[in-house]
Amino acid sequence: MEKLSHFVVGDGTKCIGCKACEVACHASHSVNGITAGNIDTPVFPKLFVTRVEEVTVPVQCHHCEDAPCAQACLEKAIYFAGDKVLIDTDKCKACKDCLMACPFGAVELVSQFVNGEEVIQENLKKPRMYANKCDLCDTRKQGPICVEVCPKQALRLVDPHKEKKEKNRKAVATIVGMFKK
Amino acid sequence: MQYTVEIDQELCTGCHRCIDVCPVGAIGGPAGMAADINYDKCCFCGQCVQICSAYQEYKSETSAPRETKMKDRGLLASVREPLFAAHNMGHAQKVWEAINNPNVVTMVQCAPAVRVGLAEDFGVASGELVAGKMITALRKLGFDRVYDTNFTADLTIMEEGSELIKRIQENGVLPMFTSCCPAWVKYVEQEHFELHENLSTCKSPQQMAGALFKTYGAQVDKLEPKKIVSVSVMPCTAKKFEASRPEMNASGSQDVDLVLTTRELANLIKHAGIDFKSLKPSQPDSVLGTYTGAGHIFGVTGGVMEAALRTGYELITGNPLDDINILDVRHSQGVKRATLQVGDLAVKTVVVAGLENAAPIIDEIKNGTADFHFVEVMACPQGCISGGGQPKVLLETERKQVYASRMASMYKHDEELPLRKSHDNPEITKVYKDFLGKPLGHKSHELLHTHYCRRG
Ligand code: SF4
Ligand code: SF4
Ligand code: SF4
Ligand code: SF4
């Protein structure tokens, strides 16, 4: 069996909603420079810090094994690269099928910017858009930057297989504990 | 009073990271709700501005659109970077108007730390020194006179060093506190006013420059002081407050009219379409533009102390220091104590980096156990290089390294400069000869010294 794909998950009990993860995500994908002055487009994070009542936590792509987004994409713009679900933005036609198909709302449609300028489709007089979502910092050697920068260590990269085994072990430990009593 | 730092209640997510970083406990708010600043405590250091990462989302529905918010914040309409919840009030719009107004003469000064931060906002690695390019950019922007705060940093040393010696020799109030950090000054005024006489009466370099531009500068250039708009570029958000203090009008009107942060200067350069990276370096105008290494290191924690000791040692002993690099006062992480033998006198110094670390020193003075002579306090963690107006580091994980690079660059420039002691600055000698007379003299007293007021 192929390895299950990794994904980043947030802990709502730890997250304080600071958006440092969003800013870092944008910075690592779209900014050349270390300071805010180098940001020359709107911030387009690939994860979305979301508040529900008292709790905030980022929502992002789970890199689903059956990738409903990819199944829905008629342009075949969404594909598996190793164990990551990625989007070929050149192929994307911004039809929003992936947005509809994703159970987490992990996809956002954003405007394309080149050299700080929004790309406008001449015949439509409308910005050109594409689907955007977590790519697990595909080109970054050290892995997802959001995990690194969170000041509360509220994010972690999940290895589902390990996670499952760990839970199995915990379950056994609990059962053993029960018998020992 | 100008509230130079604000939190946009609509953009604040209530993460409260600013509460942790505020050195004076001025920020509060119920958990998970927008944070609020208590202006009776806030000293405008802008550390909250540096840490906040909550920003206005693209096309988000806020009561005011981005354009309105930018205008309210004093930002130029061309600014692209996100609007963060914690922010400072900007002067860039007004500066833009001034440099495009043919009826005024604009004079500008830049603080030491600006030149090791500015390039970062143009995509350059942290800490690169761009003093020359910065001067060229200011000329291209249309400033009529480009002077330098580093020059008045040297002047501050002449006055402050002489003041310290006088206090030591004449049993004056000791320990003497440095007075160049406006956040620290405001803090003393509101929290420990009984210690206000410990503050040096010297104005900060920014204010000394402002006072000189509109008096001496005007005289040299045969200008009407009223026609001068004096602008400063500072790594600091509290400098905006300092410039607006009513005492700061030695020239007859506000000595520094407008204060830009380093970030705002970067915005202004971009607004004018200047390609910063390809600029050829140039020199500031004389006389108020020449500086030594001592003036330059004002931008780092321990810098004012080191600069003062370089000159003080020579004034007292008549001999130069064996080693001009006084490593004992550098790189303070909180509180750093040192003793320097100056002739017969063991001068005891304390360098405090970060306002939150001043408390134990203040306690010692109040309970009579303090045995030190001179205390430098900088409100920001590494001194001005880490000020609230410096380019905003995007990743918290990189902040330490960025500050370290800025600091290394400051000391490197000091080492490279031909003159490294304030009293060796020939133009300082000239200003005293032609205009000021002598340190602590009558004219100095009028223009370069100030007094403090009780707050709260
Ligand atoms: S960085 Fe961490 S604490 Fe901040 S919003 Fe993201 S997950 Fe939450
Ligand atoms: S975008 Fe949504 S549907 Fe597609 S892989 Fe990610 S979580 Fe699954
Ligand atoms: S101002 Fe910024 S740092 Fe402070 S609580 Fe609000 S979002 Fe957080
Ligand atoms: S400016 Fe400084 S003192 Fe004022 S609230 Fe912000 S961190 Fe606190």
Side-chain angles (χ1 to χ4, degrees), chain A residues 17 19 22 35-37 51 116, chain B residues 13 55 57 80 121 123 270 392:
Chain A
K19 287 182 183 271
E22 287 194 11
T35 56
R51 179 179 292 273
Chain B
T13 63
Y55 63 95
E57 286 167 22
R80 302 282 187 91
D121 266 356
K270 290 175 193 168
K392 181 177 165 104

Side-chain angles (χ1 to χ4, degrees), chain A:
Chain A
M1 198 184 83
E2 271 186 63
K3 234 174 83 190
L4 294 178
S5 52
H6 291 47
F7 61 100
V8 173
V9 72
D11 179 343
T13 62
K14 289 184 180 166
C15 173
I16 53 172
C18 65
K19 287 182 183 271
C21 49
E22 287 194 11
V23 171
C25 176
H26 178 75
S28 99
H29 288 93
S30 320
V31 184
N32 292 317
I34 50 165
T35 56
N38 292 288
I39 301 183
D40 59 359
T41 69
V43 176
F44 293 134
K46 293 173 190 285
L47 79 173
F48 313 98
V49 177
T50 307
R51 179 179 292 273
V52 180
E53 287 169 7
E54 306 290 279
V55 178
T56 57
V57 76
V59 176
Q60 67 235 79
C61 174
H62 278 225
H63 297 267
C64 312
E65 300 307 321
D66 295 343
C69 56
Q71 313 255 19
C73 180
L74 298 179
E75 300 294 328
K76 299 202 180 348
I78 307 183
Y79 62 100
F80 260 100
D83 60 351
K84 291 174 191 142
V85 177
L86 301 181
I87 302 180
D88 180 341
T89 48
D90 287 340
K91 278 192 185 166
C92 173
K93 295 286 180 285
C95 68
K96 303 187 273 277
D97 279 350
C98 56
L99 183 149
M100 300 293 287
C102 172
F104 298 99
V107 186
E108 172 130 281
L109 259 65
V110 301
S111 300
Q112 188 178 23
F113 279 76
V114 174
N115 296 329
E117 298 300 330
E118 199 167 28
V119 177
I120 304 291
Q121 310 186 58
E122 232 176 76
N123 52 344
L124 301 176
K125 306 274 176 270
K126 241 177 127 302
R128 178 187 182 311
M129 305 198 85
Y130 64 88
N132 190 37
K133 70 161 193 74
C134 165
D135 61 1
L136 289 174
C137 289
D138 189 33
T139 55
R140 194 172 180 268
K141 272 203 293 301
Q142 312 92 303
I145 196 162
C146 53
V147 174
E148 256 170 57
V149 300
C150 175
K152 295 292 167 189
Q153 284 83 46
L155 293 170
R156 67 191 176 96
L157 184 65
V158 176
D159 176 338
H161 191 66
K162 253 176 117 180
E163 189 88 5
K164 177 198 170 308
K165 288 282 177 211
E166 192 48 42
K167 289 211 167 124
N168 287 161
R169 267 195 293 274
K170 273 194 190 142
V172 171
T174 317
I175 293 165
V176 172
M178 270 162 49
F179 280 111
K180 273 191 181 161
K181 265 186 203 158

Side-chain angles (χ1 to χ4, degrees), chain B residues 162-340:
Chain B
S162 307
E163 184 185 357
L164 178 65
I165 293 168
K166 190 165 186 251
R167 287 192 191 208
I168 292 175
Q169 289 172 343
E170 297 177 12
N171 281 327
V173 179
L174 289 171
M176 186 171 88
F177 296 154
T178 54
S179 54
C180 10
C181 171
W184 159 238
V185 169
K186 183 170 187 273
Y187 175 76
V188 173
E189 288 180 322
Q190 64 202 21
E191 306 291 337
H192 304 285
F193 189 70
E194 63 277 30
L195 299 182
H196 75 279
E197 287 187 339
N198 293 77
L199 281 167
S200 158
T201 60
C202 286
K203 286 181 183 172
S204 72
Q206 162 175 271
Q207 293 309 137
M208 287 198 183
L212 278 186
F213 289 1
K214 289 194 177 180
T215 54
Y216 180 63
Q219 191 178 305
V220 171
D221 289 339
K222 300 190 179 52
L223 294 168
E224 236 194 283
K226 272 203 214 92
K227 278 195 140 186
I228 298 173
V229 175
S230 117
V231 177
S232 70
V233 187
M234 295 285 137
C236 173
T237 43
K239 286 283 169 192
K240 291 174 188 267
F241 157 76
E242 181 184 57
S244 75
R245 293 176 66 114
E247 310 86 73
M248 299 299 176
N249 62 356
S251 61
S253 63
Q254 196 174 310
D255 296 328
V256 177
D257 296 291
L258 298 165
V259 180
L260 296 172
T261 60
T262 310
R263 292 171 71 186
E264 288 173 67
L265 175 61
N267 288 335
L268 210 58
I269 294 170
K270 290 175 193 168
H271 188 70
I274 296 168
D275 178 9
F276 185 78
K277 282 206 253 183
S278 66
L279 291 177
K280 296 246 168 338
S282 62
Q283 294 291 320
D285 290 318
S286 169
V287 168
L288 307 168
T290 312
Y291 62 90
T292 69
H296 180 66
I297 55 172
F298 263 59
V300 281
T301 160
V304 180
M305 180 65 73
E306 181 166 349
L309 292 174
R310 286 181 190 175
T311 287
Y313 186 91
E314 227 167 294
L315 289 184
I316 294 179
T317 64
N319 301 313
L321 272 162
D322 291 339
D323 185 3
I324 195 169
N325 300 310
I326 311 176
L327 303 180
D328 283 353
V329 300
R330 291 188 187 177
H331 306 290
S332 169
Q333 309 273 340
V335 177
K336 191 159 186 179
R337 295 166 199 259
T339 306
L340 189 82

Side-chain angles (χ1 to χ4, degrees), chain B residues 14-30:
Chain B
C15 74
H16 292 180
R17 280 209 295 161
C18 53
I19 293 181
D20 298 337
V21 90
C22 176
V24 292
I27 314 184

